[in-house]
C-alpha cells in the first residue's frame, strides 16, 4: 500500500515554519507487510534488545515481554491493544506518518497513541528522518503500560491542546519538553543511569552514545530549564536531561503552564549544549564532535 502524504499545516520551530505532513487514521494493513518488512523488524528488534538490557530502564524490556512483542513478526496493533485495554486503557491507532500537532495532542489527551504503520527499508536500519513503525512500537509503546508514564502522556496531550490555543511559541516550549523526556530522556535508577526516551531506544548509535560517550552533557531535569533549551534533530543530542522517576515528570508538569509560557515568551532560549550554573550536572560534556550551528 502506497500513500502520498499531503501538506496540511505548518509548525513554528526556532528554525521558522516547517511543514507537517499527514493524514488520517487507518487500519493497520498487517497482511501487506512483506517478508522483508518482517525481517527488518526482526533485525532491529534483536539488535536493540541486546543493546538495551542494562541500558534501558528495566521495565522497558519487561513491558515488551508483557505485550508479547518478539522478533518473530511485526506485532499486530489489535493484539497489543488487548493488553492495553486490560491495563492502562490506552489504544494504538495506525497512521501514515506525523500528524498535525493539534490532532496528535487530541489523540494523546484521549489516550490514543498514533503509531506509523509502515516500517523502514533495509538500507535505513541505522537512520531515517521520520518516525516509522519500529520507532513508534518498539520505542514508545512499552512505557504506555506504566501507569504513571501513561498518565503523563495523556496530560501532555491535554497540555498541547491548551498551548495550541495560547501561542505558537508556547507550543515550541512544550515540544522541547516532549523532546527531552519522551524522546530523549534518561532516568536515574539504583543501577545507574538508564534510557527511557523512545528516540534513543530505537537508535543503535544513540543507545550507546547517550549513556557512554563523554561528549554530551547529562543534566538533572528541571521543567523550565528544559522548556528553554533548544535541541538537535539531525545529530545525537548535545544534552540529555535526567529524571529521578516518572512521578517527578507528573509532579513537575501538574501546575498550570499559562504563567510559565508568558514568562518564557520574554526569556532567551539556551543553546542545546550550554551548561548553566543552576544545573545539576551528572556529566559535563566534552563537546567532542558537536556541530556549532543547527540547534532547533
Ligand atoms: N500542566 C500543563 C498545563 O497546564 C499541562 C501539561 C501536563 C503539559 C503534562 C505537559 C505535560 O499546560
Ligand atoms: Co517518537
Amino acid at each position: 500500500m502506497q500513500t502520498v502524504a499531503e501538506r496540511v499545516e505548518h509548525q513554528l520551530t526556532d528554525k521558522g515554519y516547517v511543514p507537517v505532513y499527514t493524514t488520517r487514521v487507518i487500519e493497520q494493513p498487517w497482511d501487506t507487510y512483506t517478508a522483508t518488512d518482517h525481517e527488518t523488524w526482526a533485525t532491529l528488534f534483536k539488535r536493540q534488545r541486546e543493546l538495551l538490557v542494562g541500558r534501558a530502564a528495566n521495565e522497558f524490556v519487561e513491558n515488551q515481554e508483557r505485550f508479547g512483542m518478539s522478533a518473530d513478526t511485526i506485532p499486530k496493533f489489535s493484539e497489543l491493544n488487548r493488553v492495553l485495554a486490560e491495563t492502562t486503557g490506552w489504544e494504538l491507532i495506525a497512521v501514515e506518518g506525523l500528524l498535525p500537532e493539534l490532532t496528535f495532542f487530541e489523540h494523546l489527551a484521549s489516550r490514543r497513541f498514533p503509531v506509523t504503520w509502515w516500517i523502514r527499508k533495509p538500507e535505513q536500519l541505522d537512520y531515517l528522518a521520520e518516525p516509522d513503525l519500529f520507532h513508534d512500537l518498539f520505542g514508545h509503546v512499552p512505557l504506555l503500560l506504566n501507569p504513571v508514564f501513561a498518565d503523563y502522556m495523556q496530560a501532555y496531550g491535554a497540555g498541547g491542546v491548551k498551548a495550541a490555543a495560547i501561542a505558537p511559541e508556547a507550543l515550541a516550549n512544550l515540544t522541547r519538553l516532549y523532546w527531552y523526556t519522551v524522546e530523549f530522556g534518561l532516568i536515574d535508577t539504583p543501577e545507574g543511569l538508564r534510557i527511557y526516551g523512545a528516540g534513543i531506544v530505537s537508535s543503535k548509535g544513540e543507545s550507546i552514545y547517550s549513556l557512554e560517550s563523554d561528549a554530551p552533557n547529562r543534566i538533572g531535569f528541571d521543567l523550565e530549564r528544559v522548556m528553554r533549551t533548544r535541541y538537535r534533530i539531525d545529530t545525537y543530542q548535545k544534552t540529555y536531561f535526567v529524571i529521578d522517576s516518572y512521578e517527578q515528570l507528573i509532579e513537575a508538569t501538574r501546575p498550570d503552564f499559562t504563567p510559565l509560557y508568558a514568562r518564557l515568551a520574554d526569556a532567551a532560549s539556551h543553546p542545546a549544549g550550554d551548561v548553566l550554573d543552576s544545573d545539576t550536572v551528572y556529566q559535563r560534556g566534552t563537546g567532542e564532535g558537536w556541530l556549532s550551528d543547527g540547534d532547533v
Side-chain angles (χ1 to χ4, degrees), residues 176-290:
R176 292 181 183 142
L177 175 64
Y178 193 87
W179 192 265
Y180 280 120
T181 60
V182 177
E183 295 291 355
F184 292 97
L186 299 180
I187 184 165
D188 195 6
T189 76
E191 296 97 44
L193 294 192
R194 296 291 187 96
I195 306 160
Y196 73 94
I200 307 179
V201 298
S202 58
S203 157
K204 178 185 176 193
E206 199 152 5
S207 293
I208 299 168
Y209 176 90
S210 64
L211 289 180
E212 284 148 60
S213 170
D214 289 338
N217 302 314
R218 298 183 189 87
I219 292 172
F221 176 86
D222 175 84
L223 179 73
E224 192 163 331
R225 161 72 157 108
V226 167
M227 289 173 81
R228 287 179 66 173
T229 307
R230 299 157 71 100
Y231 56 89
R232 306 292 307 191
I233 60 170
D234 55 343
T235 62
Y236 297 155
Q237 300 307 304
K238 293 179 177 178
T239 297
Y240 299 93
F241 288 97
V242 181
I243 60 171
D244 296 324
S245 64
Y246 304 116
E247 283 78 10
Q248 182 188 15
L249 283 180
I250 283 274
E251 288 311 317
T253 55
R254 210 185 283 286
D256 180 5
F257 283 7
T258 310
L260 178 56
Y261 292 136
R263 199 158 68 238
L264 293 179
D266 299 319
S269 61
H270 300 299
D274 273 15
V275 177
L276 312 179
D277 290 342
S278 50
D279 287 336
T280 303
V281 179
Y282 286 78
Q283 148 88 21
R284 182 180 289 265
T286 60
E288 194 191 332
W290 285 1

Side-chain angles (χ1 to χ4, degrees), residues 32-283:
T32 69
Y33 293 130
T34 63
T36 306
D37 290 336
H38 289 295
E39 258 169 58
T40 299
W41 167 265
T43 304
L44 288 168
F45 187 93
K46 288 186 215 151
R47 186 173 93 172
Q48 287 310 100
R49 275 286 284 263
E50 207 166 295
L51 271 174
L52 290 172
V53 174
R55 286 197 179 90
N58 288 334
E59 61 179 343
F60 186 87
V61 171
E62 283 164 18
N63 288 354
Q64 287 183 340
E65 278 164 5
R66 281 172 70 195
F67 270 120
M69 287 186 190
S70 79
D72 299 346
T73 57
I74 293 174
K76 289 187 173 163
F77 298 178
S78 56
E79 288 174 8
L80 305 177
N81 276 339
R82 228 172 293 146
V83 180
L84 285 166
E86 286 163 8
T87 51
T88 54
W90 274 76
E91 181 195 356
L92 309 182
I93 53 172
V95 294
E96 288 156 1
L98 284 178
L99 295 173
E101 281 199 306
L102 189 56
T103 311
F104 178 65
F105 293 144
E106 286 168 348
H107 283 308
L108 295 185
S110 305
R111 290 173 102 85
R112 286 188 299 267
F113 192 78
V115 176
T116 307
W117 71 265
W118 53 268
I119 192 159
R120 67 193 71 187
K121 302 260 170 296
E123 60 271 22
Q124 298 172 309
L125 287 189
D126 292 326
Y127 183 78
L128 82 170
E130 326 156 66
D132 73 333
L133 177 136
F134 184 74
H135 167 80
D136 287 339
L137 264 198
F138 185 96
H140 285 287
V141 171
L143 285 186
L144 294 177
L145 282 186
N146 177 296
V148 178
F149 195 83
D151 286 351
Y152 173 67
M153 291 294 282
Q154 177 181 15
Y156 181 87
V161 173
K162 191 168 109 183
I166 296 177
E169 291 80 5
L171 261 192
N173 292 139
L174 197 63
T175 300
R176 292 181 183 142
L177 175 64
Y178 193 87
W179 192 265
Y180 280 120
T181 60
V182 177
E183 295 291 355
F184 292 97
L186 299 180
I187 184 165
D188 195 6
T189 76
E191 296 97 44
L193 294 192
R194 296 291 187 96
I195 306 160
Y196 73 94
I200 307 179
V201 298
S202 58
S203 157
K204 178 185 176 193
E206 199 152 5
S207 293
I208 299 168
Y209 176 90
S210 64
L211 289 180
E212 284 148 60
S213 170
D214 289 338
N217 302 314
R218 298 183 189 87
I219 292 172
F221 176 86
D222 175 84
L223 179 73
E224 192 163 331
R225 161 72 157 108
V226 167
M227 289 173 81
R228 287 179 66 173
T229 307
R230 299 157 71 100
Y231 56 89
R232 306 292 307 191
I233 60 170
D234 55 343
T235 62
Y236 297 155
Q237 300 307 304
K238 293 179 177 178
T239 297
Y240 299 93
F241 288 97
V242 181
I243 60 171
D244 296 324
S245 64
Y246 304 116
E247 283 78 10
Q248 182 188 15
L249 283 180
I250 283 274
E251 288 311 317
T253 55
R254 210 185 283 286
D256 180 5
F257 283 7
T258 310
L260 178 56
Y261 292 136
R263 199 158 68 238
L264 293 179
D266 299 319
S269 61
H270 300 299
D274 273 15
V275 177
L276 312 179
D277 290 342
S278 50
D279 287 336
T280 303
V281 179
Y282 286 78
Q283 148 88 21

